[in-house]
Amino acid sequence: MLIPPDPPSKINTPSSSENTTGYNSEEIDAVKYPESTCTSDNSEVDEYIKDKEDDQDALKSKGAEDPEDSPFEVVRSAVSNTDVPDMPSMTFRTHVLGIFFVCLISFVNQFYWERDNPIALNLLIVQLLCYPMGVAMAWGLPKRTWNLFGYKWTMNPGEFTIKEHVLISLMSNASAFMALTVDIFAVLRLYYNPSFPLWAALLLLLSGQMFAYALAGLSRALLVLPAPMIWPSSLINASLFRTFHERQDHNAETTPEHAVPDVTSTPHARRRWQWRWRRGSFSKITRTRFFWVCFICSFVWYFIPGYFLQMLSTVSLLCLVAPNNQLANMIGDGKQGLGVLAFSLDWSVFSNAFLQSPIATPFWAACNLFVGFVLVFWVALPVAYFKNLWGSATLPLYSMDVFTTNGTRYDISKVMRDGVFDSQAYDNYSPLRMSLEFSWVYGIGFAALMSILVHIGIYNGKEIITRLRETKAKHDDIHGKLITSYPSVKAWWYMVLLIASCATGIGVGIGAGIGVPWWGYMLSFAIAIVLVIPVGIIQAISNRQPGLSLVAELLSGVVLQGIPTGYSILKLYGHGSLAQALSYAQDMKLAHYMKIPPRHVMIYQLVGIVVSVIIQTCLFFWLIDRIPDMCRPEGYPWVCRSTNLVYSASIIWNLIGPMKVFGEGSPYSPLLWGFLFGLVLPIPVYYLQRRFPNQTWLQHVYVPVILSGIVGLPPMPSVDFPMWFLFGFVFNFIIHRYWHAWWQKYNFTLSAGLDSGLALSGILQFLALAQNGLKLDWWGNQVDRQCTLSKKPWISP
């Protein structure tokens, strides 16, 4: 099961050029650039690449292809084939801004991760905020040269450079999604070993991240340096950085000759809006000023749903109309029900860590995701539940907990002896039961895993084979030649880091009494080492990553069955480190494209990893000690949805094991047909797309994306999806189509401003109000009283 979505390129994926905007200094108004890596879908970049390839056809026909450029057109269109070796990269400004953004991202993402609607600040926010801050430092810092023990340095080497911008972003990106791995040790501390020490969690997490980084570095010769390893997401970011800094290109892009037409707008609508735009109604507001307007509005407004009137976070209309009707409660509850006719006035519901910003996802991708949600959650699920499929009506409709056959929460102490599974006690106690939606998520996860493998094979198989054959022939493109002018990172440095991190993980894990044998750690390391190259090649070429979380869960359940803490180790090293290694490799490719000295990249990424591990781990342990009833419903909004899901998964996969939960005789054994379903489903869709190439809507159907639309439920509240889609529909369809100039200038700035304002407001409310006992206890903050009957099963056990 993917819980929550794998770190996207830390599980984010770039959007197509259709969903892009420009952002530079205040005098640049309407520049188009491909958006940063900030969505939750991995396929929309195809459209961007196709557009770039089409743009290059004309140049190629004129013989304009530069022999000293990349052999791939999409790379030539996004990455410069020149370098300025003496351009400053590791400077005082990068030290200050890099540490600042690492601390900011680490603190905010971990602080909000355990709240009911977690938010996540991502690379886009760093890219947007870093540029004006860097320019301001270049304008205001003294240019004096200092001499420190013979080493000369300056606070201000001149203009804020693109290499500084990239280094700061890479450093902060190393910390963006660490909260996923902190969950693993949160489960150990909260449910299995309340005395689990902070030092052990720090060292194990640091070991996991260093293992991932060493793995990425050792894979650099195959995943980063070869020209055929394109990493399409990096092209998006490279285009964005160039848009900030190469002003002469901006001027060319905004001329009619190079302007990109808005193909989704009608000519009449476009003419009408362009006339209004020329009147200057909006053009007087710069992006920087617009960002701060959105920031202040979001900051102030979040005091309403976050403190004064928390029920506005989720308003369930059916529950308010019929509070004593259980059916209405179950259908209308936006937290524990289907969320029909539920809505929210809380931005953290629209944009959160589960779905990312609705503004950043192309509308066609949002449609795929929402179709999957509607078909499963609003159509199939209620029909099956109220027909009592697998006895599901004797359990809650929507829950991430695990239960006994009589509907009570599963007590793991009844089936454990000395910290491991007791088969006899299990037979005497009860088989495990899940809510219908929770069990379906696993079946759909099986299908999603197979569908993406088949999808990659039939859509990208030929390209992958071709690129692999070209690896040796096209290893030394112009980018590879230019990067050789900088000292490289020695392979043995990565090897030493790998061995040290593995030894630290085994030593600390055994010393802290986690209960996993040494060979369990070795198996976890082996999973990541074996899979990093093949999975990395697939992602580098196709921009799609197979479901790694489910692979780790299956293996941990088979090999370490009966040891619930084994789930933590397999997830940390077998899944978490592998996903992080691929993310670090992608960041290394971006640095390769931007000609950043490799040793500078290594220093900044390692510093970012160390700082983020310390901040996020210490912060979570501090929150556990400071917040009463944390990770329980009574501790709202600190309900720890993801942590509780990891706890339930550890029971399902490792304590009891997949053979008992999904094996013969279990009501959930039919879910294994999901593997076959996912294997077959993409094939007819592929045939129909080839058979009817003129059907535009059909060309945007992506089976893996449709299936992934339901995988995050749970832990995500059901109200999130409709609100997320509604906001995306308004901005990425209506405004994009009829007010495209406004959309192009302000769309992503709006998202960044709202996210940033909410983040600061929530932190201030917690530190200044909640921690001082200033809580409002009135009916407007009693969020569980809207739908009091939704948690009850439809049929009494």
Side-chain angles (χ1 to χ4, degrees):
M1 176 183 174
L2 308 177
I3 50 171
D6 288 340
S9 140
K10 291 190 180 107
I11 271 184
N12 300 344
T13 307
S15 67
S16 67
S17 58
E18 181 186 35
N19 266 343
T20 57
T21 188
Y23 188 96
N24 198 1
S25 57
E26 295 187 0
E27 66 270 16
I28 299 175
D29 287 336
V31 180
K32 293 191 175 184
Y33 68 84
E35 186 253 315
S36 172
T37 314
C38 60
T39 74
S40 58
D41 172 83
N42 278 341
S43 54
E44 64 266 25
V45 74
D46 296 342
E47 204 168 313
Y48 166 72
I49 293 175
K50 183 179 183 300
D51 291 341
K52 289 294 186 181
E53 288 175 339
D54 292 341
D55 293 342
Q56 289 295 322
D57 286 344
L59 293 176
K60 189 174 182 180
S61 64
K62 296 177 182 179
E65 183 175 352
D66 187 348
E68 279 299 302
D69 207 333
S70 171
F72 302 102
E73 293 174 337
V74 292
V75 178
R76 291 197 298 272
S77 67
V79 183
S80 171
N81 64 338
T82 62
D83 183 31
V84 182
D86 58 350
M87 178 183 291
S89 57
M90 192 165 67
T91 66
F92 175 80
R93 293 188 298 237
T94 57
H95 300 338
V96 174
L97 292 179
I99 293 295
F100 169 77
F101 279 109
V102 167
C103 294
L104 175 68
I105 298 295
S106 300
F107 185 89
V108 170
N109 287 0
Q110 184 60 58
F111 180 85
Y112 278 94
W113 184 247
E114 307 302 342
R115 292 172 69 93
D116 192 38
N117 283 297
I119 65 171
L121 301 185
N122 53 37
L123 182 61
L124 175 63
I125 288 180
V126 177
Q127 290 168 311
L128 290 176
L129 297 183
C130 177
Y131 181 77
M133 293 175 70
V135 171
M137 292 181 74
W139 177 80
L141 286 177
K143 296 183 178 181
R144 174 184 171 184
T145 299
W146 306 80
N147 192 323
L148 184 63
F149 302 110
Y151 174 75
K152 295 183 178 181
W153 64 281
T154 178
M155 290 185 179
N156 191 351
E159 183 180 355
F160 183 63
T161 68
I162 189 171
K163 293 189 178 183
E164 291 178 289
H165 198 172
V166 174
L167 263 185
I168 295 167
S169 300
L170 293 182
M171 188 177 184
S172 62
N173 205 37
S175 65
F177 292 88
M178 282 288 300
L180 292 167
T181 51
V182 175
D183 271 342
I184 297 169
F185 295 99
V187 169
L188 287 177
R189 173 72 182 268
L190 290 169
Y191 299 108
Y192 290 112
N193 184 4
S195 61
F196 187 75
L198 172 62
W199 66 266
L202 277 170
L203 290 177
L204 284 170
L205 284 171
L206 190 60
S207 165
Q209 296 305 306
M210 291 301 177
F211 172 73
Y213 191 79
L215 203 59
L218 290 172
S219 306
R220 192 167 178 263
L222 294 175
L223 297 182
V224 177
L225 296 179
M229 300 298 106
I230 289 178
W231 293 95
S233 297
S234 297
L235 300 179
I236 307 295
N237 288 301
S239 296
L240 173 57
F241 285 118
R242 293 181 66 190
T243 299
F244 277 109
H245 295 270
E246 298 179 10
R247 301 192 179 189
Q248 65 275 17
D249 291 345
H250 297 322
N251 296 333
E253 288 178 7
T254 53
T255 61
E257 180 181 358
H258 295 84
V260 180
D262 176 20
V263 296
T264 62
S265 301
T266 62
H268 175 68
R270 190 186 305 117
R271 286 194 300 270
R272 182 175 67 250
W273 172 251
Q274 288 175 345
W275 177 77
R276 293 179 180 178
W277 184 266
R278 284 193 295 269
R279 289 168 55 191
S281 57
F282 288 100
S283 59
K284 294 180 181 179
I285 304 177
T286 64
R287 288 185 181 87
T288 302
R289 202 168 291 171
F290 184 74
F291 170 85
W292 287 112
V293 170
C294 296
F295 178 93
I296 294 172
C297 292
S298 179
F299 177 88
V300 174
W301 171 251
Y302 190 59
F303 276 88
I304 306 300
Y307 182 74
F308 291 107
L309 191 58
Q310 295 176 4
M311 67 174 296
L312 292 181
S313 180
T314 301
V315 181
S316 304
L317 290 180
L318 291 181
C319 296
L320 296 178
V321 172
N324 298 319
N325 187 310
Q326 185 179 3
L327 180 61
N329 275 233
M330 299 178 81
I331 294 176
D333 190 355
K335 296 287 187 182
Q336 305 291 336
L338 299 179
V340 177
L341 297 182
F343 69 93
S344 174
L345 297 177
D346 181 353
W347 176 246
S348 68
V349 171
F350 293 85
S351 174
N352 52 54
F354 298 130
L355 288 168
Q356 307 299 321
S357 172
I359 294 176
T361 305
F363 184 64
W364 68 264
C367 288
N368 276 266
L369 292 166
F370 192 63
V371 165
F373 169 81
V374 171
L375 291 178
V376 176
F377 204 76
W378 280 355
V379 177
L381 178 64
V383 172
Y385 178 81
F386 291 112
K387 285 185 175 293
N388 198 26
L389 178 67
W390 305 335
S392 58
T394 61
L395 302 174
L397 172 63
Y398 181 67
S399 173
M400 69 186 75
D401 295 326
V402 289
F403 303 91
T404 64
T405 52
N406 62 11
T408 60
R409 289 192 62 179
Y410 209 85
D411 185 355
I412 61 173
S413 65
K414 303 285 188 178
V415 297
M416 293 178 65
R417 186 186 300 274
D418 298 326
V420 297
F421 179 72
D422 187 332
S423 182
Q424 183 62 41
Y426 175 78
D427 294 336
N428 295 333
Y429 181 51
S430 171
L432 181 142
R433 294 292 181 261
M434 297 177 276
S435 69
L436 188 61
E437 165 60 16
F438 194 7
S439 64
W440 276 17
V441 164
Y442 281 116
I444 296 172
F446 299 151
L449 172 62
M450 300 307 298
S451 70
I452 193 167
L453 294 175
V454 174
H455 183 95
I456 290 171
I458 59 180
Y459 285 85
N460 305 100
K462 293 181 179 179
E463 181 185 12
I464 291 174
I465 294 173
T466 302
R467 295 280 173 81
L468 289 176
R469 289 174 177 173
E470 294 172 344
T471 297
K472 289 186 178 180
K474 297 184 178 181
H475 187 120
D476 294 325
D477 63 350
I478 184 61
H479 308 293
K481 293 177 182 178
L482 290 174
I483 205 68
T484 58
S485 62
Y486 303 101
S488 63
V489 179
K490 305 298 183 183
W492 67 267
W493 295 2
Y494 292 118
M495 183 59 69
V496 170
L497 187 60
L498 182 78
I499 295 173
S501 60
C502 292
T504 301
I506 296 174
V508 173
I510 294 177
I514 290 181
V516 178
W518 65 269
W519 54 264
Y521 293 87
M522 299 302 293
L523 174 65
S524 303
F525 300 144
I527 292 173
I529 292 172
V530 169
L531 293 179
V532 66
I533 297 299
V535 175
I537 289 173
I538 291 173
Q539 185 174 345
I541 294 175
S542 68
N543 202 54
R544 295 171 178 85
Q545 184 185 102
L548 303 176
S549 178
L550 191 58
V551 174
E553 289 174 335
L554 285 169
L555 288 174
S556 67
V558 172
V559 178
L560 295 174
Q561 190 274 325
I563 307 176
T565 53
Y567 183 88
S568 299
I569 299 304
L570 263 294
K571 287 286 287 184
L572 175 63
Y573 294 106
H575 164 242
S577 293
L578 176 57
Q580 290 281 20
L582 296 175
S583 175
Y584 296 145
Q586 179 169 281
D587 287 347
M588 290 178 183
K589 188 66 177 186
L590 175 60
H592 180 81
Y593 282 144
M594 307 307 294
K595 321 303 182 302
I596 312 296
R599 295 187 181 182
H600 292 184
V601 175
M602 183 181 190
I603 292 172
Y604 273 69
Q605 287 185 310
L606 289 179
V607 171
I609 291 170
V610 172
V611 173
S612 63
V613 167
I614 293 173
I615 290 177
Q616 295 196 346
T617 309
C618 293
L619 176 60
F620 182 78
F621 275 67
W622 182 79
L623 290 174
I624 291 177
D625 295 333
R626 298 281 294 182
I627 299 176
D629 299 316
M630 186 168 179
C631 298
R632 293 177 175 83
E634 298 79 13
Y636 182 89
W638 304 93
V639 295
C640 308
R641 288 180 173 271
S642 179
T643 300
N644 285 323
L645 183 60
V646 171
Y647 169 62
S648 295
S650 70
I651 299 174
I652 294 168
W653 292 102
N654 280 82
L655 178 60
I656 298 175
M659 300 304 294
K660 292 184 179 295
V661 176
F662 300 104
E664 185 178 358
S666 169
Y668 308 119
S669 59
L671 295 173
L672 297 177
W673 287 99
F675 287 107
L676 181 61
F677 180 73
L679 193 68
V680 173
L681 189 58
I683 298 175
V685 174
Y686 176 79
Y687 169 77
L688 291 174
Q689 289 175 340
R690 295 302 180 270
R691 178 69 176 81
F692 303 102
N694 296 326
Q695 296 294 327
T696 305
W697 69 270
L698 185 59
Q699 305 306 314
H700 287 96
V701 174
Y702 280 77
V703 172
V705 179
I706 293 175
L707 293 175
S708 67
I710 201 67
V711 170
L713 289 157
M716 182 173 57
S718 55
V719 69
D720 289 15
F721 228 125
M723 293 295 96
W724 175 84
F725 179 76
L726 175 63
F727 203 89
F729 172 75
V730 171
F731 278 84
N732 285 349
F733 180 75
I734 296 178
I735 293 180
H736 179 271
R737 182 169 184 173
Y738 297 106
W739 296 279
H740 187 73
W742 188 97
W743 181 95
Q744 184 183 18
K745 183 175 182 180
Y746 295 121
N747 200 48
F748 293 105
T749 306
L750 170 68
S751 179
L754 294 178
D755 285 347
S756 303
L758 184 147
L760 183 60
S761 179
I763 294 172
L764 181 63
Q765 291 174 38
F766 174 76
L767 296 178
L769 301 176
Q771 283 300 291
N772 292 316
L774 301 176
K775 297 182 179 180
L776 296 180
D777 187 11
W778 68 299
W779 67 268
N781 286 344
Q782 296 172 350
V783 294
D784 292 333
R785 297 190 61 178
Q786 285 190 61
C787 305
T788 57
L789 303 178
S790 62
K791 299 178 183 178
K792 296 182 178 180
W794 183 246
I795 300 175
S796 299

